[in-house]
Amino acid sequence: MVKTIEWKDGKVLMLDQSRLPLEVNYVECSDYLKVAEGIKKLWIRGAPAIGIAAAMGIALGAQDITASNYKNFKTGLQKVMDDMLATRPTAVNIKWAVERVTKLLSDNKDRTVDELKAMLIAEGIKVLEEDIEINKAIGRWGGQFIKDGDTILTHCNAGSLATGGYGTATAPMLVAIEQGKRIQVIADETRPVLQGARLTSWELMQAGVPVTLITDNMAGAIMKKGKIDLAIVGTDRTTRNGDVANKIGTYTVAILCKEHKIPFYVAAPLSSIDFKMSSGDKIPIEERAPEEVTTIWGHRVAPEGVNVINLAFDVTPAKYVSALFTEKGAYRPRDIKSLAKKDMDLESIRLKP
Ligand code: MRU
């Protein structure tokens, strides 16, 4: 499986996903601003992957701070963390990474600056390694909801490329295949940036998963023919009430699923759940450059000067979500808030297929 991001020789190496699948290039980031640029320009994208990039970017930024005491080091690191937070607003994973690093610092106030710098590198690597294990757990829970012969619709890329490896929405598919189930995947192309066409179909083909590419506006017609059994998508931020922000077009898929009585599942690692936010209408939605809509890979397809709306994400209300697959099991959206409670008996609310 191709590596999305890694810490190598004191630098962050990231696969430039903006040119995939035609060019497979790695960008070497030797300072944190390059990592931030990579997140903004979608060299690396997908909520868990940008959380990992933020953690590694913070570790990289820490190495250049010249402070000799804890207080000044923390002030220097705050600027690095603020720059990371300013890259992309919708995925909560960057905030999650910043909070994780902040806790690490406050738990280790007695350490020297050199020790803290080393701990931050170790933390960035740990975030990556943990992410892969989390995805495999999501796969084990979510895979139970896939039957032999199923055809699964997915939107955008919540695969290996969007994570440290294995993917979130793709993990149940990979587990199903490992269990010998014969499945088919239908990938929405996902305009404007074409994550489905360029990334999901590419990585699933490499993983030996039978995949068929469609344009976004075909999903309804294919559902009407009875050719889709379930949908699984990822999430950039799921709020306490189970509302789900994900790539623009996800909301449309969810409504189509409801109309055709098709289960609509969301693969949601806990790092993508914002337990502090009450509902989806509070999620900041990123708006990106109009050129993403007026051009396709540098080729203009719309008249000069046309007005454009380019929302990168939408919010699917909890009522359309059949279940959320997390690393701790599958849950109804209304139960997702319970995952934040210590000593909660999760078995009693876990959803069975
Ligand atoms: O703009 P992108 O490519 O970062 O959007 C990615 C998505 O919407 C994914 O579905 C989401 O981040 C989940 S990735 C496991």
Side-chain angles (χ1 to χ4, degrees):
M1 220 176 259
V2 62
K3 272 206 175 92
T4 313
I5 184 164
E6 66 177 314
W7 182 274
K8 200 168 179 205
D9 303 329
K11 294 180 183 132
V12 176
L13 210 59
M14 60 171 75
L15 176 62
D16 178 1
Q17 300 188 27
S18 67
R19 301 304 303 163
L20 284 178
L22 299 191
E23 294 166 30
V24 184
N25 290 327
Y26 281 84
V27 183
E28 197 180 77
C29 306
S30 45
D31 64 72
Y32 85 91
L33 288 172
K34 189 90 175 169
V35 176
E37 184 186 359
I39 297 174
K40 271 191 208 150
K41 293 188 174 163
L42 310 185
W43 300 340
I44 189 157
R45 29 68 49 205
I50 62 177
I52 299 164
M56 290 192 174
I58 294 166
L60 202 54
Q63 308 311 307
D64 293 333
I65 298 172
T66 52
S68 56
N69 62 41
Y70 179 88
K71 189 168 168 284
N72 292 346
F73 179 69
K74 196 166 177 233
T75 307
L77 203 64
Q78 193 56 53
K79 157 93 177 98
V80 177
M81 294 195 290
D82 289 346
D83 286 345
M84 284 298 162
L85 285 167
T87 53
R88 298 192 75 190
T90 303
V92 72
N93 300 61
I94 297 181
K95 186 162 138 299
W96 170 87
V98 164
E99 283 171 1
R100 191 167 159 150
V101 166
T102 307
K103 180 166 180 336
L104 183 89
L105 280 192
S106 57
D107 288 349
N108 290 282
K109 285 188 179 133
D110 52 339
R111 301 296 187 114
T112 66
V113 168
D114 282 346
E115 282 172 339
L116 290 172
K117 287 182 178 178
M119 287 173 90
L120 289 171
I121 295 176
E123 190 70 0
I125 295 169
K126 196 166 152 210
V127 168
L128 168 64
E129 287 167 354
E130 283 177 9
D131 185 68
I132 298 170
E133 291 314 308
I134 287 166
N135 296 337
K136 290 188 172 165
I138 289 174
R140 286 192 291 275
W141 291 110
Q144 299 176 16
F145 290 74
I146 299 176
K147 294 188 294 300
D148 186 28
D150 274 351
T151 298
I152 307 157
L153 178 77
T154 192
H155 189 74
C156 192
N157 174 262
S160 178
L161 291 164
T163 62
Y166 218 68
T168 61
T170 53
M173 304 170 193
L174 296 176
V175 167
I177 287 191
E178 279 160 26
Q179 292 170 340
K181 294 173 188 165
R182 287 153 298 179
I183 62 161
Q184 304 275 337
V185 177
I186 294 189
D188 280 345
E189 69 169 352
T190 319
R191 269 287 277 155
V193 183
L194 300 170
Q195 289 93 333
R198 297 189 303 104
L199 309 178
T200 303
S201 57
W202 184 69
E203 69 162 78
L204 289 182
M205 284 172 80
Q206 286 190 47
V209 181
V211 56
T212 302
L213 179 64
I214 61 169
T215 62
D216 300 322
N217 45 10
M218 290 180 194
I222 296 172
M223 285 183 191
K224 197 155 174 249
K225 286 178 195 274
K227 296 216 182 307
I228 292 172
D229 300 293
L230 66 154
I232 312 179
V233 301
T235 178
D236 286 84
R237 188 186 304 231
T238 288
T239 51
R240 207 165 58 223
N241 67 340
D243 290 347
V244 171
N246 192 49
K247 179 52 57 195
I248 194 73
T250 302
Y251 175 45
T252 318
V253 171
I255 291 178
L256 283 170
C257 282
K258 183 88 173 175
E259 172 66 21
H260 295 92
K261 300 187 174 47
I262 294 167
F264 176 82
Y265 298 119
V266 177
L270 297 189
S271 60
S272 299
I273 302 177
D274 190 344
F275 292 104
K276 292 188 191 128
M277 195 172 269
S278 56
S279 64
D281 51 1
K282 300 192 170 56
I283 299 174
I285 298 295
E286 178 181 6
E287 290 191 41
R288 295 188 58 88
E291 289 72 28
E292 286 184 352
V293 177
T294 56
T295 63
I296 298 182
W297 265 31
H299 298 285
R300 176 164 275 279
V301 291
E304 235 16 285
V306 67
N307 287 330
V308 169
I309 298 174
N310 186 13
L311 300 176
F313 300 96
D314 59 28
V315 177
T316 299
K319 66 178 178 178
Y320 295 107
V321 178
S322 311
L324 290 132
F325 301 152
T326 76
E327 62 269 39
K328 290 189 186 295
Y331 299 92
R332 287 181 192 82
R334 66 164 186 262
D335 288 329
I336 212 72
K337 57 184 175 305
S338 302
L339 292 171
K341 289 185 200 149
K342 291 212 165 55
D343 309 325
M344 176 76 202
D345 173 18
L346 293 180
E347 183 56 30
S348 64
I349 53 167
R350 203 171 275 144
L351 202 59
K352 311 269 175 329

